[in-house]
């Protein structure tokens, strides 16, 4: 009898020890950045000059969420794409960066892996630095976990990922700002430490061009987003009040003000919704986005252009002393990532 009970109980005990061990290990090794951290500026880059520039943003989805991928945390089945698919997506992304990325003055990327099981430990940041040899480069970590224990039978394992910013010009500084708020423990030790990266370029006028790369929270009830947006607003006001030019670009995980989230839906949407940035978030500033090109797709299943839900959550926020010339979403048919690039042309006034 006791033997039978032991056989029944043992798997549950082992599973409990596994979970507790994973939580303890993650807690001990937790990445806990300061609110403000200077990050390295690598590579080349010339002094900034002129008043007309271009910037491009792209969440590359760690080269693991191309057209053939879905993701378990969003209702799909896959934990990670195959090695062949990751290499295929990475080649496509790197090819785009090598061509179109070289043409713009600033390139802001999100979900760039340095050493992650999900992307087969390819150092994507180093790959992009090699593809942009005459550019400056900076990296701000926002996801660093030694071992993610879920799913139980196929754990995600190690993740090291973040924001990568490149430019033809050499910034004066690059700073990582930690967003406030997080999930409660123990969930917090397995999730991203959301942040934005500020690069400062000293202009001939003596003012600064402040280029901000952001990636806001995705899997929350809106509370974290609200805290993050309020914190960022204080930085934006501070910079603009000093006479500086400010551009924020990246994956906001919310739609721009006034944009209809289901504009591109092929059928009535009942499973998906997306909040908008409040219209009065920061008066007189400009939200720059392409309303005719989706930037993000659902990853509950592989991409199907006739079925998959798409929307716009990647865009720019521009200070009043900057005039937007054009904003263009670049349609790659979600071949290499669950996001698509967006390009902005602007003039400093």
């Amino acid at each position: 009898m006791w033997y039978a009970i032991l056989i029944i109980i043992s798997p549950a005990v082992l599973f409990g020890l596994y979970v507790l061990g994973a939580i303890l290990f993650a807690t001990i090794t937790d990445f806990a950045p300061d609110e403000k951290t200077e990050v390295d500026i690598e590579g080349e880059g010339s002094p900034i000059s002129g008043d007309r520039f271009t910037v491009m943003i792209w969440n590359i989805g760690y080269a693991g969420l191309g057209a053939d991928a879905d993701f378990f945390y969003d209702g799909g089945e896959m934990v990670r794409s195959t090695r062949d698919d990751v290499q295929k997506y990475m080649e496509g992304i790197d090819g785009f960066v090598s061509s179109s990325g070289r043409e713009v003055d600033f390139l802001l990327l999100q979900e760039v892996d340095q050493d992650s099981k999900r992307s087969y430990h390819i150092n994507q940041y180093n790959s992009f630095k090699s593809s942009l040899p005459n550019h400056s480069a900076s990296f701000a970590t926002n996801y660093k976990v030694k071992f993610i224990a879920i799913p139980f039978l196929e754990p995600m394992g190690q993740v090291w990922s973040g924001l990568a910013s490149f430019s033809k010009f050499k910034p004066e500084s690059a700073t990582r700002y930690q967003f406030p708020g997080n999930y409660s423990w123990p969930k917090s030790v397995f999730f991203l430490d959301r942040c934005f990266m500020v690069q400062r370029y000293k202009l001939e006028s003596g003012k600064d061009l402040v280029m901000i790369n952001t990636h806001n929270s995705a899997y929350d009830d809106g509370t974290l987003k609200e805290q993050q947006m309020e914190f960022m607003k204080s930085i934006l006001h501070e910079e603009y009040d000093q006479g500086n030019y400010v551009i924020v670009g990246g994956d906001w995980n919310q739609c721009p003000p006034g944009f209809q989230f289901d504009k591109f839906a092929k059928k009535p949407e009942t499973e998906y919704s997306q909040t908008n940035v409040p219209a009065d978030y920061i008066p007189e500033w400009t939200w720059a986005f392409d309303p005719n090109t989706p930037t993000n797709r659902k990853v509950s299943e592989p991409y199907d252009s006739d079925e998959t839900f798409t929307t716009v959550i990647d865009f720019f926020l521009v200070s009043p002393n900057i005039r937007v010339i054009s904003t263009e979403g670049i349609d790659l048919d979600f071949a290499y990532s669950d996001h698509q690039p967006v390009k902005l042309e602007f003039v400093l006034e």
Side-chain angles (χ1 to χ4, degrees):
M1 177 180 175
W2 287 109
Y3 180 73
I5 293 174
L6 186 61
I7 291 176
I8 295 172
I9 293 177
S10 292
V13 171
L14 290 174
F15 177 74
L17 291 174
Y18 169 79
V19 172
L20 290 174
I23 292 173
L24 178 61
F25 179 70
T27 301
I28 293 173
T29 60
D30 184 37
F31 173 62
D34 293 333
E35 180 181 296
K36 183 178 179 180
T37 309
E38 297 302 313
V39 298
D40 293 336
I41 300 171
E42 306 176 74
E44 302 298 326
S46 60
I48 191 168
S49 61
D51 59 7
R52 186 166 182 154
F53 305 99
T54 52
V55 55
M56 184 181 294
I57 55 174
W58 193 13
N59 181 332
I60 68 164
Y62 56 88
L65 296 173
D68 296 324
D70 59 40
F71 187 54
F72 80 99
Y73 207 79
D74 290 282
E77 298 179 355
M78 298 170 58
V79 177
R80 63 174 177 167
S81 295
T82 66
R83 182 185 295 272
D84 286 345
D85 277 348
V86 168
Q87 290 175 339
K88 176 179 68 175
Y89 301 148
M90 186 60 194
E91 288 174 3
I93 294 166
D94 202 23
F96 182 86
V97 167
S98 298
S99 56
S100 297
R102 288 190 182 188
E103 295 175 359
V104 298
D105 298 304
F106 308 93
L107 178 64
L108 313 180
L109 304 178
Q110 301 85 45
E111 291 197 29
V112 177
D113 277 3
Q114 287 218 43
D115 188 8
S116 303
K117 178 182 176 182
R118 64 187 184 179
S119 53
Y120 299 88
H121 304 282
I122 298 169
N123 192 320
Q124 298 169 354
Y125 178 54
N126 281 350
S127 294
F128 298 140
K129 286 193 294 182
S130 297
S131 298
L132 301 168
N134 299 316
H135 288 56
S136 62
S138 293
F139 184 89
T141 298
N142 70 358
Y143 201 6
K144 195 170 188 180
V145 182
K146 293 288 187 180
F147 182 73
I148 300 174
I150 60 171
F152 175 62
L153 297 178
E154 189 183 354
M156 288 181 63
Q158 176 176 306
V159 175
W160 180 16
S161 189
L163 313 176
S165 296
F166 304 88
S167 177
K168 293 178 180 179
F169 309 114
K170 192 84 168 183
E172 293 285 316
S173 63
T175 308
R176 180 195 188 281
Y177 284 86
Q178 175 68 30
F179 274 127
N182 205 336
Y183 298 103
S184 59
W185 183 89
K187 187 176 181 179
S188 61
V189 299
F190 294 107
F191 269 71
L192 289 79
D193 292 274
R194 300 280 183 175
C195 71
F196 59 92
M197 177 164 52
V198 175
Q199 290 181 302
R200 188 177 302 277
Y201 298 85
K202 184 62 68 177
L203 300 167
E204 295 171 344
S205 65
K207 301 297 184 180
D208 293 342
L209 172 59
V210 179
M211 190 65 61
I212 302 177
N213 186 346
T214 190
H215 189 187
N216 300 59
S217 286
Y219 303 108
D220 73 292
D221 60 2
T223 304
L224 292 181
K225 285 191 186 73
E226 184 176 347
Q227 292 180 51
Q228 293 168 3
M229 295 295 284
E230 286 302 309
F231 176 71
M232 179 182 284
K233 185 192 295 186
S234 66
I235 303 295
L236 301 183
H237 277 308
E238 180 181 335
E239 293 292 347
Y240 180 61
D241 288 346
Q242 294 176 20
N244 295 327
Y245 302 88
V246 186
I247 289 184
V248 188
D251 175 4
W252 299 76
N253 273 308
Q254 52 197 316
C255 294
F259 180 78
Q260 184 180 337
F261 84 95
D262 58 353
K263 174 180 178 178
F264 306 111
K266 310 299 191 302
K267 55 187 178 181
E269 181 58 38
T270 58
E271 299 179 0
Y272 183 82
S273 64
Q274 185 70 60
T275 59
N276 292 77
V277 177
D280 61 350
Y281 171 68
I282 187 164
E284 299 183 6
W285 288 53
T286 300
W287 296 97
F289 60 98
D290 182 348
N292 299 313
T293 305
T295 71
N296 176 244
R297 74 167 181 96
K298 286 179 67 175
V299 286
S300 56
E301 57 187 6
Y303 179 64
D304 181 338
S305 60
D306 295 324
E307 295 287 337
T308 303
F309 184 86
T310 60
T311 191
V312 171
I313 61 174
D314 307 83
F315 48 90
F316 298 92
L317 175 61
V318 178
S319 59
N321 51 0
I322 295 176
R323 176 164 53 92
V324 173
I325 302 299
S326 64
T327 311
E328 177 190 5
I330 300 171
D331 191 354
L332 302 177
D333 208 28
F334 296 100
Y336 314 123
S337 172
D338 59 329
H339 291 254
Q340 304 208 98
V342 186
K343 178 182 175 181
L344 174 73
E345 184 176 3
F346 62 95
V347 174
L348 307 181
E349 294 189 324

